[in-house]
Each structure stands twice: as structure tokens, then as C-alpha cells.
Amino acid sequence: MMLNYARLDQISREYGDSFYLLNSSLYEDNYCKMLDAFQKYYPNTHIAYSYKTNYIPKLCRIIQRLGGYAEVVSEMEMELALSLGVESVNIYYNGPYKKENYIEKLMLGEGYLNIDADYEIAIVSKIAERHRDREFVVGVRYNMDIGQDVPSRFGIPKEDLKCAIERLNRIPNLRVTGLHCHLPFRSPDSFQARMKDLKELLFGEMKGYVWSYISLGGGYMGEVSDELAGQFSFAPPKYEDYAKIVAGQMAELYQNHAEKPKLIIEPGSALAANTMCFVTRVVNIKKVRGKAIATLTGSTYNINPSVKSIKRPITVYSDKGQEQYEDLDMAGYTCIESDYLYKNYSGSLSVGDFVVFHNVGSYSIVMKPPFILPDVPILEFENGNLCLIRKSQSIERVFMDFL
């Protein structure tokens, strides 16, 4: 549904002056387009959606319905997946902090565990010993080095990887069959470097080793507007660009192999980022030493506080004549000096206007703390009707667990 001031004002009267709007159909389209792009080059590609990026249950159910997998990094996310009916065999468990009881639950359910560090080797050894009548398979996370300035803190370095795999394979009823790696860089060059390093590992140090799956993790970009694209130091890749590099080179690596491992990709932002917008309202506009500053009913904590260098595209909706500004900053409701949602805005703006921030589906709702104000509702238009996806967090809910 097309937005306008009257529609937003009507919604705000019922749900408050700040709220998220979700487009789950766009999310489903993103999933299908990305998977199609990769499978064109390497048919045995599968998506394991990164729950930590945006764990709205409706989005997770779409992945399940379309035959995708769940990628989780905590017991909280695993419990969500299981509660939604995701079978353990469709769960990939990553992350640096895993509890023994959840590792055991996943292993007994024949899910996919990717070991990050030595302490997990000790845990799976104990689990395998307790269940000698069972055969287990696990994966290992490889600490990939592509020349980045700061080494990744995750996974097992190349010089230790073969030894770790040998230690695991000495457990009588356990076998390492999966290889996982992930880096946060999004440029095409970084993926080229990943595939070069992966080739050296697979056909060098680990030549001849048989893998059932190879996971390249996430780090992919989704569709972005021209305004957002212009803020990056490289041209934002399309799904096709990533697919040609990753899936295309996987096809080349295994073209002469009868058994081809699954290629697992774990997108989060690539699927969810452009599927949500955040609606907030102008409370006040003042000038400080000649600088115009608008206070909004939202905060940078609503749109992912870890990414402050990116100015998300905005749309302003008004029902009145507006004053023009050449250099206005939009600040949040918190008492933090650095809480700015948008800087150096040029255009018209008035008190009472709505400012809609686009491309906020990635790491926004999952990183919002109960700081200053409770969280806001999530809504979606379905067949012309407004549906409540998540109700606003009450003040009572914020404090009910304190003793």
C-alpha cells in the first residue's frame, strides 16, 4: 500500500508515533532470487537464513516453507527454530559460545554443528562417549585469512585446522564432514579472495578430504537504492555477482568430482535489509548556534546503532506548509549526544511530520535495548489490511523480570 501522511497519522493514533512496517513478500522474493542465482551455477546450493539478523517468526517460517535451513548462533535462536517446527536436521549451529546441553540436543537430532574452538572438541568428545551407539558428524569453522588488517576472532586457524580435524576423527563414533567460514566484508574482491584461499585449503593442506557441505557464511548485500549505493567505496554487488564468484568457482572446483558437497550460504542482510522501514515523527525543531536540529520519536537504536556511517534513505510525509532547511540534523529521543538518525538533511520539514527510514530490516529489532523507552510495534499491510506482527513492548514488560 502506498504511504501518505493521512495513512501514517491514522496508524500512529492506534499504535504510537514510531513503528516498523514489514514487507514479507519482498523478503520471500529476495530468497527466491538469491537462491536461483546461486543454483544456476551450482545446483547443490542451499540457503541457511541467519536468524540473528532479524528473527521475526513470520520471516523464519517463510524460510521453512520454501525449504531453506536455519542458521543459529545461540540456544535462544535454536529454541525459536524448534518452536516453529524446524527439524534439527535443518539447523546449522554456529557461534563462539555454545552450551553443552544444546550441542547435545542438536547432535542427537542429527543437526549441523560447526565447531569454533577447542573447548567444543572436548564437549563433543564427551557427548560421543555418552552415546556410543550413535554415529555423529560435525563441521569445523575455518579462521580464514584473506589479508585483512585485523584477524577474525572466530574459528580455527589454518595452521591448526588439520590437527583439530584429526583429533575429532579419532573419536570412534564421530567424523568431521563439514567446513564453515565467514567474514563480514561485502565487496566482490573479498569474495574472490575467499574463494582463492578456500581453493588452496581444499586442494592443498586438505587435498583428498571428503566434505558433505562447505558453508561460505554470509556477508552478502541485498538490493539497495541508488542513494544508499553511492555511500559505498565499491559498486554494491547483485545476487548474480556474488553467485558468479562463489557458486561459479565452486562448480569449477568440483567439476570433475562425482560427489559434490552442498554449498551452504547464510545470508541475513541480503534477504531482510530492504524488507522493513521505520516510521518516526518530528517532535521539535530548534536551532543551536545556528544549527537546525530536529528531535524525532525514534532513535538510532531503532535502526541498528552499530552502523552509524551509513545514511539510510528517508521519505518525509507532511500535511502542512514546511520550512526549508539546508543542513538539518535529525536526533533521537535518547539522552545520548551521539543519537542522530540522519545528518545534513536538506529539504522541507515541520513539527508533526513523519520521517520514514528505509532499509532497516537488518540488525535493527534484534539489537534494540529497552533504553529510555520500550520497543515499538511491527506492522504489515496484507491484502490492503494492516496486521500486527509484534505489539509494542509495555513498560510493565520491561521491568517485570526484576526482583
Side-chain angles (χ1 to χ4, degrees):
M1 175 176 286
M2 295 294 294
L3 296 180
N4 54 48
Y5 178 89
R7 189 69 175 116
L8 293 173
D9 186 57
Q10 179 185 4
I11 296 171
S12 72
R13 293 177 189 276
E14 182 174 358
Y15 294 102
D17 286 330
S18 292
F19 48 89
Y20 296 99
L21 289 175
L22 172 68
N23 186 338
S24 61
S25 295
L26 181 56
Y27 176 86
E28 183 168 336
D29 289 344
N30 289 343
Y31 174 93
C32 294
K33 289 177 182 177
M34 188 172 193
L35 186 61
D36 287 347
F38 275 73
Q39 288 185 339
K40 182 175 72 173
Y41 293 95
Y42 194 78
N44 199 12
T45 301
H46 303 266
I47 287 179
Y49 172 61
S50 168
Y51 271 39
K52 65 182 177 293
T53 307
N54 188 324
Y55 46 55
I56 293 176
K58 183 172 184 177
L59 301 184
C60 299
R61 288 192 184 97
I62 289 173
I63 297 294
Q64 182 187 9
R65 173 169 55 82
L66 295 176
Y69 302 145
E71 187 265 329
V72 304
V73 295
S74 70
E75 65 268 24
M76 180 181 80
E77 294 174 12
M78 188 187 296
E79 288 291 358
L80 172 60
L82 294 172
S83 72
L84 296 175
V86 180
E87 297 182 5
S88 294
V89 294
N90 293 326
I91 297 176
Y92 286 78
Y93 191 14
N94 298 321
Y97 172 45
K98 306 184 187 79
K99 293 181 179 177
E100 182 172 337
N101 58 327
Y102 279 90
I103 291 177
E104 185 167 23
K105 178 187 289 191
L106 188 76
M107 289 175 65
L108 291 174
E110 299 182 354
Y112 297 92
L113 170 74
N114 287 319
I115 290 173
D116 184 80
D118 273 0
Y119 84 94
E120 294 176 48
I121 297 178
I123 290 175
V124 300
S125 179
K126 288 193 296 182
I127 293 171
E129 174 67 21
R130 283 200 295 266
H131 303 280
R132 296 183 187 180
D133 60 325
R134 297 287 301 272
E135 296 290 330
F136 298 105
V137 295
V138 298
V140 291
R141 177 162 181 168
Y142 167 44
N143 183 288
M144 185 171 275
D145 181 359
I146 60 170
Q148 65 266 39
D149 293 334
V150 179
S152 172
R153 67 184 181 93
F154 303 110
I156 303 170
K158 180 180 287 186
E159 60 268 22
D160 301 323
L161 187 66
K162 191 170 184 178
C163 179
I165 292 173
E166 289 173 349
R167 287 170 56 199
L168 285 161
N169 284 340
R170 282 197 293 268
I171 300 171
N173 55 333
L174 185 142
R175 177 76 178 169
V176 175
T177 64
L179 183 69
H180 171 63
C181 54
H182 170 82
L183 290 172
F185 314 115
R186 302 187 185 279
S187 72
D189 288 346
S190 76
F191 279 87
Q192 289 282 12
R194 264 171 259 204
M195 296 308 297
K196 180 177 182 293
D197 186 78
L198 184 65
K199 178 181 179 180
E200 292 172 356
L201 176 72
L202 295 177
F203 298 93
E205 291 87 344
M206 299 300 299
K207 184 177 181 180
Y209 199 87
V210 177
W211 305 98
S212 65
Y213 69 89
I214 295 172
S215 170
L216 264 293
Y220 307 97
M221 292 185 70
E223 295 184 6
V224 298
S225 66
D226 291 341
E227 180 181 351
L228 195 57
Q231 300 180 53
F232 293 93
S233 60
F234 54 89
K238 305 292 186 183
Y239 295 144
E240 171 70 19
D241 300 322
Y242 288 125
K244 188 174 183 179
I245 295 171
V246 176
Q249 292 189 37
M250 277 290 290
E252 291 177 10
L253 291 176
Y254 285 95
Q255 61 182 335
N256 297 321
H257 291 69
E259 296 294 327
K260 304 181 192 300
K262 282 184 179 180
L263 170 61
I264 305 297
I265 56 174
E266 300 172 349
S269 300
L271 302 185
N274 69 339
T275 65
M276 291 183 71
C277 63
F278 177 59
V279 181
T280 184
R281 204 162 196 172
V282 181
V283 175
N284 178 57
I285 301 176
K286 62 182 177 182
K287 286 194 175 181
V288 180
R289 299 181 187 177
K291 177 69 173 180
I293 302 174
T295 300
L296 307 183
T297 60
S299 163
T300 185
Y301 294 98
N302 292 108
I303 59 174
N304 187 355
S306 67
V307 183
K308 294 184 178 181
S309 60
I310 298 297
K311 292 171 69 173
R312 288 169 175 78
I314 62 172
T315 305
V316 175
Y317 295 90
S318 179
D319 72 335
K320 59 178 75 70
Q322 301 165 301
E323 185 174 348
Q324 295 292 318
Y325 296 91
E326 292 185 1
D327 185 17
L328 176 143
D329 291 347
M330 299 182 184
Y333 61 74
T334 75
C335 300
I336 303 298
E337 283 282 7
S338 60
D339 184 7
Y340 286 94
L341 293 86
Y342 196 95
K343 286 196 169 187
N344 311 120
Y345 169 74
S346 296
S348 56
L349 197 71
S350 297
V351 171
D353 288 355
F354 289 98
V355 182
V356 178
F357 291 81
H358 304 280
N359 211 277
V360 302
S362 174
Y363 295 101
S364 52
I365 65 163
V366 298
M367 295 185 74
K368 170 64 173 73
F371 179 59
I372 306 293
L373 284 174
D375 214 345
V376 301
I378 301 171
L379 309 165
E380 181 171 26
F381 289 108
E382 293 183 353
N383 301 318
N385 298 314
L386 188 65
C387 300
L388 181 63
I389 303 298
R390 184 191 69 183
K391 63 183 180 180
S392 59
Q393 186 181 35
S394 68
I395 294 173
E396 292 78 14
R397 174 64 64 180
V398 173
F399 299 111
M400 68 182 298
D401 290 331
F402 287 90
L403 301 180

